[in-house]
Amino acid sequence: NLQESESENKLDAETASDSESRSEFGGSAPVPTSDDTPEVLNRALSNLSSRWKNWWVRGILTLAMITFFFIIIYLGPMVLMTIVMCVQIKCFHEIITIGYNVYHSYDLPWFRTLSWYFLLCVNYFFYGETVTDYFFTLVQREEPLRILSKYHRFISFTLYLTGFCMFVLSLVKKHYRLQFYMFGWTHVTLLIVVTQSHLIIHNLFEGMIWFIVPISCVICNDIMAYMFGFFFGRTPLIKLSPKKTWEGFIGGFFATVLFGLLLSYVMSGYRCFTCPVEFNNDTNSFTVDCEPSELFQLQEYNIPLVLQSVVGWKTVQMYPFQIHSIALSTFASLIGPFGGFFASGFKRAFKIKDFANTIPGHGGIMDRFDCQYLMATFVNVYIASFIRGPNPSKLIQQFLTLRPDQQLHIFNTLKAHLVDKGMLGSLEDA
Amino acid sequence: EVYLEERLHELDLRSDSDVPDVPPPTDSTPEILKRALSGLSARWKNWWIRGILTLAMISVFFLIIYLGSFMLMLLVLSIQVKCYHEIITIGYRVYHSYDLPWFRSLSWYFLLCVNYFFYGETVADYFATFVQRREQLQFLIRYHRFISFALYLTGFCMFVLSLVKKHYRLQFYMFAWTHVTLLITVTQSHLVIQNLFEGMIWFLVPISSVICNDITAYIFGFFFGRTPLIKLSPKKTWEGFIGGFFSTVVFGFIFSYFLAQHQYFVCPVEYNSETNRFVTECEPSELFQMKKYSVPPLLQAVLGWETVNMYPFQMHSIALSTFASLIGPFGGFFASGFKRAFKIKDFADTIPGHGGIMDRFDCQYLMATFVHVYITSFIRGPNPSKLLKQLLILQPEQQLSVYKTLKSHLVEKGILQPSLRG
């Protein structure tokens, strides 16, 4: 018994530092991922050397994904939302599977069911909040929806609690630590995956341009940084990802800002991208039709003197949104990569090469989306802070649920405020 | 090399075996108590220490209530910080990671960020008039989410930059441990404060119900306990559970009756910018006005009354005490499972005879969230002051159109007379 506890103490001490024998993940040969490149591609590329073959496979798949992206955009908001949902579920599945593999806990009692149940609960909560906001009139009309919406938080909480109690009841004597690990793992995964996907959907409802430009900037930065690194790369950027270089980083930054400016210019001209997505009660479908806001109306800007000599123009016609796109692309290029480094660190920590084998040549869905983590949150916070304030119709809805005395108090305060600002005369208007 | 790695990996996953307990915590009982109780046997001594400390804690509780809302907020904040510290320290011990580069600073930094975010979102709403007057605060409020996000991002980037070659896994474990701890402790404490602002009764009754359930379940178990309740906590019994349930409901019912009579407990806490103090003065809402209820015929025979005068709040208190007795204990089981999983006896040694602060608050976890969800679902809609704040941020044209909509709605409902100027 003493020996056992000694060896366990030794184990604990050794988990403190990854053992000496473990080197960069490239050193200890990971199990090669099974080759699921389609037969077609295999035959077409059978003549090339394996290095070029890999490059071609990656290239073709990249083009395939980008084409797919354009198709879904064409198909509209509903399809986009569904795709976001699917990506979210796949990412969740990938990360949870890694957890199972790390802890060999695939057979833990109840645990698979509980993980999916928690995913369902959290999604129910977030979708309920979103649906209530954007589909307000529809919800108010249908009786069951109205009740679900009114007591939404209570229902969500009850569902979550049920999962929590099931977890407690499922604790099994010899597996406590593992079960708590998986519980923690599930919650952190939910925090990362589900919140991001819902913020993306919020951004989407603000206008498809707020969805497309950020995601494209991250993809562009990925590709540009790779190319600049390929041709000019010399100085390593960070020990975590030995393939990244400063040249790639900086080149990618400038290329992405430029790309963002151009893409925004092209997109700002179309209503289907710039208008908030709304649900039309009469046609029961999504519409994107509106009077474009100031952000999407061409304005004349004076070029700062410094650039005048370079560019040769005195003024330039731009959309205000393009200025915002600079902020978005800057974030995508400077901070987005940290999401990628985080994922690299994660893969090294748990000694995996890729999150999964879903996309040939690229790895799992998470591998493609790791830089997008922070982008969605940033865009959402950016919109809420700098673009628009709170949504007036939502405020009116909230107002209608208050008690009469509260309503009166708010009304009078608002009135006094407007009178103060001179927007309202002392006499009442109709 | 591979063999060593696999063995380590295996041991990491090995199911909990019967490993000897962590050595008993150092005895932090004050000298005075020790001398006073030196005559008694060890078992009774332990019982007396627990009893005295229980009374001490309850007295501190009453004292703080007397001192008012601001002190209560400070108390909640201190407890939150201490709980966070306790859980993080356990993480360090489990992973022997006390010397990880940067990690202690990062954990405290994240705590600061999340607290900053929550205090800005919730508490700032209540100080709207105070904030309106000061320019710098207005800036902080307007861009609050952006600032909080930037602060959090800085921490995130520092974490990524601090990843050290041989310690990746540990660092990720501690990162996740920190975040889950934040999720548990910080959100709960902010919900407690929001409940407090709704009216001190919404803070006192739930917490007292949980404490009462703890004590009465223990007493019922002590005297009548026979059937074990759950393998996780062998000391709990069904008799204790059921007895505790009924006593807590009765206690909650009676306690609410007394509290509902005083404005001090019943009124929402408001900040008076003129006197720079918190005030609890208002016209008590319907919940706290006596009403006549007809006793259902079943109970009429038992009690002998036909109607009874009660506060509507007392009905709600039944819901609160029921939750405290039935679901609250799951929080306790969760904590017990946690302690067994990581082979610790108590969260810390802060309170002699009781363990750490977390040991006292483990059943309160879910209560605060439940009360908050209950209030927003059944008692009132969204927070009026938050709504007002958002209205004042709108563009002037939007404000005007909202004003007109509101006005027509109020006139329709007869709340506002169209002919008056008021």
Side-chain angles (χ1 to χ4, degrees):
Chain A
N1 228 1
L2 192 62
Q3 211 175 31
E4 207 180 55
S5 68
E6 248 179 40
S7 72
E8 211 182 72
N9 281 338
K10 198 169 119 170
L11 156 77
D12 281 342
E14 270 172 300
T15 47
S17 60
D18 307 348
S19 59
E20 293 288 282
S21 57
R22 212 188 306 169
S23 55
E24 318 262 332
F25 79 86
S28 61
V31 175
T33 54
S34 55
D35 187 9
D36 47 32
T37 330
E39 237 349 87
V40 174
L41 276 180
N42 264 334
R43 259 180 283 135
L45 304 169
S46 54
N47 290 334
L48 302 163
S49 75
S50 89
R51 178 162 169 261
W52 277 106
K53 184 164 155 194
N54 190 41
W55 216 96
W56 270 104
V57 170
R58 279 186 77 106
I60 290 176
L61 259 306
T62 307
L63 283 175
M65 289 192 289
I66 293 180
T67 315
F68 185 62
F69 189 40
F70 278 118
I71 292 180
I72 335 173
I73 291 174
Y74 176 73
L75 287 175
M78 190 68 195
V79 178
L80 265 172
M81 269 174 66
T82 318
I83 299 286
V84 170
M85 181 82 189
C86 297
V87 168
Q88 176 211 102
I89 293 179
K90 191 69 179 67
C91 289
F92 182 78
H93 177 69
E94 283 180 7
I95 302 184
I96 291 287
T97 309
I98 291 175
Y100 292 148
N101 290 338
V102 169
Y103 293 111
H104 295 262
S105 59
Y106 202 70
D107 298 318
L108 268 188
W110 280 97
F111 213 81
R112 267 172 289 163
T113 321
L114 272 175
S115 301
W116 289 110
Y117 179 80
F118 280 127
L119 178 68
L120 204 75
C121 283
V122 181
N123 266 317
Y124 176 78
F125 172 69
F126 277 115
Y127 271 106
E129 298 266 309
T130 314
V131 165
T132 316
D133 288 341
Y134 290 101
F135 294 79
F136 186 67
T137 5
L138 173 69
V139 166
Q140 292 295 90
R141 262 193 329 209
E142 314 283 335
E143 212 22 55
L145 285 183
R146 199 181 67 81
I147 297 186
L148 279 182
S149 155
K150 191 161 149 67
Y151 299 108
H152 180 252
R153 288 199 179 184
F154 191 75
I155 296 173
S156 310
F157 184 60
T158 313
L159 289 175
Y160 177 81
L161 264 192
T162 315
F164 182 85
C165 294
M166 294 310 311
F167 170 71
V168 171
L169 293 173
S170 77
L171 288 173
V172 175
K173 192 163 164 190
K174 291 199 190 315
H175 301 284
Y176 291 146
R177 191 186 278 220
L178 270 188
Q179 290 181 290
F180 271 91
Y181 278 166
M182 288 312 295
F183 188 77
W185 192 286
T186 304
H187 279 69
V188 176
T189 311
L190 284 172
L191 200 71
I192 298 177
V193 170
V194 182
T195 52
Q196 296 295 311
S197 81
H198 279 273
L199 290 176
I200 289 181
I201 291 182
H202 274 272
N203 298 343
L204 180 72
F205 271 94
E206 196 60 27
M208 278 174 59
I209 200 173
W210 291 103
F211 170 79
I212 297 174
V213 168
I215 292 187
S216 318
C217 287
V218 173
I219 295 175
C220 170
N221 186 62
D222 238 359
I223 298 177
M224 290 294 150
Y226 180 77
M227 293 207 167
F228 273 86
F230 189 79
F231 289 115
F232 305 111
R234 209 155 295 137
T235 340
L237 181 58
I238 188 173
K239 272 184 279 184
L240 261 180
S241 299
K243 289 186 191 163
K244 308 270 183 197
T245 57
W246 274 102
E247 291 82 7
F249 187 69
I250 295 179
F253 167 61
F254 283 109
T256 307
V257 170
L258 209 63
F259 169 81
L261 278 171
L262 291 172
L263 183 69
S264 320
Y265 181 79
V266 170
M267 287 199 148
S268 300
Y270 296 95
R271 274 195 198 172
C272 66
F273 295 126
T274 62
C275 288
V277 175
E278 269 158 38
F279 185 75
N280 191 322
N281 298 314
D282 308 310
T283 61
N284 268 1
S285 67
F286 289 102
T287 51
V288 272
D289 210 4
C290 67
E291 195 57 49
S293 83
E294 280 177 359
L295 272 185
F296 303 106
Q297 288 169 11
L298 275 175
Q299 268 186 38
E300 197 125 343
Y301 284 88
N302 293 324
I303 300 191
L305 293 166
V306 180
L307 287 179
Q308 265 187 32
S309 39
V310 173
V311 176
W313 298 323
K314 285 228 184 102
T315 62
V316 68
Q317 295 255 22
M318 279 200 331
Y319 294 99
F321 179 78
Q322 291 182 270
I323 312 279
H324 292 297
S325 83
I326 298 181
L328 299 181
S329 357
T330 307
F331 184 88
S333 317
L334 298 187
I335 309 292
F338 276 88
F341 301 150
F342 186 85
S344 293
F346 180 84
K347 286 188 277 192
R348 281 162 192 264
F350 296 102
K351 296 194 290 300
I352 54 182
K353 185 177 184 306
D354 283 320
F355 279 90
N357 301 330
T358 324
I359 313 177
H362 282 270
I365 300 275
M366 273 302 282
D367 289 291
R368 288 303 93 217
F369 285 86
D370 55 18
C371 294
Q372 304 271 6
Y373 290 169
L374 305 166
M375 192 78 209
T377 318
F378 176 75
V379 175
N380 191 274
V381 170
Y382 189 86
I383 293 177
S385 303
F386 299 112
I387 306 296
R388 66 159 176 79
N391 183 0
S393 36
K394 184 172 169 187
L395 291 181
I396 294 182
Q397 295 158 23
Q398 289 185 330
F399 182 84
L400 296 176
T401 61
L402 291 175
R403 296 194 305 262
D405 56 304
Q406 291 171 318
Q407 289 181 342
L408 208 54
H409 168 72
I410 290 186
F411 176 76
N412 286 330
T413 314
L414 183 63
K415 183 166 165 205
H417 176 82
L418 285 173
V419 168
D420 240 1
K421 293 251 171 186
M423 305 248 356
L424 207 59
S426 53
L427 286 176
E428 300 210 336
D429 290 327
Chain B
E1 287 172 359
V2 175
Y3 172 75
L4 177 63
E5 209 162 79
E6 276 186 10
R7 251 195 51 89
L8 288 175
H9 197 50
E10 241 173 55
L11 285 172
D12 195 16
L13 319 167
R14 185 177 66 176
S15 52
D16 311 337
S17 50
D18 343 19
V19 172
D21 274 328
V22 170
T26 52
D27 189 8
S28 54
T29 331
E31 248 334 283
I32 314 175
L33 276 181
K34 272 202 228 174
R35 259 182 282 137
L37 304 168
S38 53
L40 303 163
S41 75
R43 180 163 167 261
W44 276 108
K45 187 162 150 195
N46 191 40
W47 216 96
W48 269 104
I49 292 180
R50 279 187 77 106
I52 290 175
L53 260 306
T54 307
L55 284 175
M57 288 192 289
I58 293 181
S59 316
V60 168
F61 189 42
F62 277 119
L63 184 67
I64 310 262
I65 292 172
Y66 175 73
L67 288 175
S69 333
F70 188 67
M71 291 303 294
L72 267 171
M73 270 175 64
L74 278 184
L75 180 71
V76 171
L77 184 61
S78 320
I79 290 178
Q80 176 212 100
V81 172
K82 189 71 181 65
C83 287
Y84 182 80
H85 177 69
E86 284 180 6
I87 302 184
I88 293 285
T89 310
I90 290 176
Y92 292 149
R93 283 196 344 234
V94 169
Y95 295 111
H96 295 262
S97 61
Y98 204 69
D99 297 318
L100 268 188
W102 279 98
F103 215 81
R104 268 172 287 164
S105 329
L106 272 176
S107 301
W108 288 111
Y109 179 79
F110 281 125
L111 178 67
L112 205 73
C113 282
V114 182
N115 265 316
Y116 176 77
F117 172 69
F118 276 114
Y119 272 104
E121 290 275 305
T122 56
V123 174
D125 294 339
Y126 295 100
F127 291 81
T129 25
F130 178 76
V131 165
Q132 289 290 85
R133 285 186 306 193
R134 289 159 179 69
E135 271 311 303
Q136 311 93 319
L137 288 185
Q138 279 220 17
F139 174 79
L140 283 180
I141 298 280
R142 223 194 129 79
Y143 299 109
H144 179 253
R145 287 200 179 180
F146 193 76
I147 296 173
S148 310
F149 184 60
L151 288 175
Y152 176 82
L153 265 191
T154 314
F156 182 86
C157 294
M158 292 311 310
F159 168 72
V160 171
L161 293 173
S162 78
L163 288 174
V164 174
K165 193 166 158 184
K166 294 197 192 312
H167 302 283
Y168 291 145
R169 189 185 281 221
L170 265 190
Q171 290 181 291
F172 272 90
Y173 277 167
M174 288 311 294
F175 186 78
W177 191 287
T178 303
H179 279 68
V180 176
T181 312
L182 285 171
L183 200 71
I184 298 178
T185 55
V186 180
T187 52
Q188 295 294 310
S189 80
H190 277 273
L191 291 176
V192 167
I193 291 181
Q194 280 197 285
N195 298 342
L196 179 72
F197 272 94
E198 195 60 26
M200 278 176 58
I201 198 174
W202 291 104
F203 170 81
L204 290 175
V205 168
I207 291 188
S208 322
S209 299
V210 173
I211 295 174
C212 169
N213 185 62
D214 238 357
I215 297 175
T216 48
Y218 179 77
I219 293 179
F220 272 85
F222 188 81
F223 289 114
F224 307 111
R226 208 155 295 135
T227 341
L229 180 60
I230 188 173
K231 273 186 276 185
L232 261 179
S233 299
K235 289 186 191 165
K236 310 271 182 192
T237 58
W238 274 102
E239 290 83 6
F241 186 69
I242 296 181
F245 168 60
F246 282 110
S247 354
T248 306
V249 171
V250 170
F251 166 81
F253 203 74
I254 298 178
F255 192 48
S256 321
Y257 180 78
F258 285 112
L259 287 184
Q261 293 168 355
H262 302 275
Q263 272 194 18
Y264 182 69
F265 295 121
V266 153
C267 292
V269 175
E270 270 158 38
Y271 183 76
N272 189 324
S273 32
E274 281 132 50
T275 59
N276 269 1
R277 271 183 30 232
F278 287 102
V279 290
T280 47
E281 258 170 35
C282 65
E283 194 59 47
S285 83
E286 283 174 357
L287 272 185
F288 304 104
Q289 289 169 9
M290 284 267 219
K291 264 163 74 162
K292 239 176 164 71
Y293 285 88
S294 327
V295 179
L298 237 85
L299 289 179
Q300 264 186 30
V302 173
L303 290 173
W305 297 324
E306 271 179 16
T307 62
V308 67
N309 272 327
M310 277 195 339
Y311 294 100
F313 180 79
Q314 291 180 271
M315 305 301 291
H316 292 297
S317 82
I318 297 181
L320 299 181
S321 340
T322 306
F323 185 88
S325 318
L326 298 187
I327 309 290
F330 276 89
F333 302 149
F334 186 85
S336 294
F338 180 85
K339 287 189 277 193
R340 280 161 193 266
F342 298 101
K343 296 196 281 301
I344 53 181
K345 186 178 184 303
D346 284 320
F347 278 90
D349 303 333
T350 322
I351 312 176
H354 283 269
I357 300 275
M358 273 303 281
D359 290 291
R360 288 303 92 217
F361 285 86
D362 55 16
C363 294
Q364 305 272 6
Y365 290 169
L366 306 165
M367 192 77 210
T369 318
F370 176 75
V371 175
H372 182 78
V373 170
Y374 190 87
I375 292 178
T376 48
S377 301
F378 298 112
I379 308 296
R380 66 155 174 81
N383 181 3
S385 27
K386 196 180 180 85
L387 187 60
L388 188 59
K389 174 186 114 175
Q390 291 184 315
L391 278 175
L392 295 175
I393 296 181
L394 287 175
Q395 304 286 354
E397 309 81 48
Q398 292 173 313
Q399 285 180 339
L400 204 55
S401 83
V402 167
Y403 170 78
K404 291 186 181 151
T405 317
L406 295 186
K407 184 166 159 202
S408 62
H409 170 83
L410 287 175
V411 166
E412 219 182 276
K413 291 263 171 180
I415 299 173
L416 198 62
Q417 305 298 329
S419 55
L420 294 175
R421 285 207 203 155

